[in-house]
Amino acid sequence: MSPLMMSKIAYLAAVGSLTALIGLCVAWELWLAPLRPGGSWMVLKVLPLLAPLFGVLHQRIYTYRWSSMLLVAYFIEGCVRAYADTGMSAALAFLELVLALAFIVAAGVFIRSATAKRAET
């Protein structure tokens, strides 16, 4: 597969997983399974996810690099809460884990294919 096609697929996967993770975290902490009834301040964990959104949407390689390191924290939170929580919260934690891992992999593929694409030109 050409680096251009890989870059496009990885871009779509990264954008999709990041936006889905933002939506999941908001819905989780406000409506689906908040720590306290009526929502909790844990919804503020979404704020760091908004920082890389602009750079990811504009395909900035540097943003992909540091945001993949940022999402390791969300992957770890998903692991811990999937293990420790029960019911709906554990299922949402597993989904958070999957979305964070999907972004990390997609960012890695995007960085590799984008740098390969630059090397060809």
Side-chain angles (χ1 to χ4, degrees), residues 43-89:
V43 75
L44 294 177
K45 73 179 182 183
V46 172
L47 293 179
L49 291 174
L50 297 176
L53 189 59
F54 182 80
V56 168
L57 289 172
H58 288 88
Q59 302 182 13
R60 297 198 174 128
I61 294 175
Y62 184 73
T63 304
Y64 278 84
R65 287 181 177 151
W66 67 261
S67 62
S68 63
M69 291 183 278
L70 171 70
L71 265 81
V72 170
Y74 291 86
F75 175 79
I76 292 169
E77 185 206 12
C79 290
V80 169
R81 290 185 75 176
Y83 177 75
D85 291 355
T86 58
M88 173 74 105
S89 186

Side-chain angles (χ1 to χ4, degrees), residues 5 9-11 14 16 22 25 45 51 64 66 69 72 91 100-101 118:
M5 183 61 109
I9 292 170
Y11 166 74
I22 291 169
C25 289
K45 73 179 182 183
Y64 278 84
W66 67 261
M69 291 183 278
V72 170
L101 186 61
R118 284 185 181 176

Side-chain angles (χ1 to χ4, degrees), residues 17 21 26-27 33 37 40-41 43 45 52 79 84 89 93 98 100 103 114 116 120-121:
S17 60
L21 186 58
V26 169
S40 72
W41 285 98
V43 75
K45 73 179 182 183
C79 290
S89 186
V98 169
F103 179 84
E120 287 179 357
T121 57

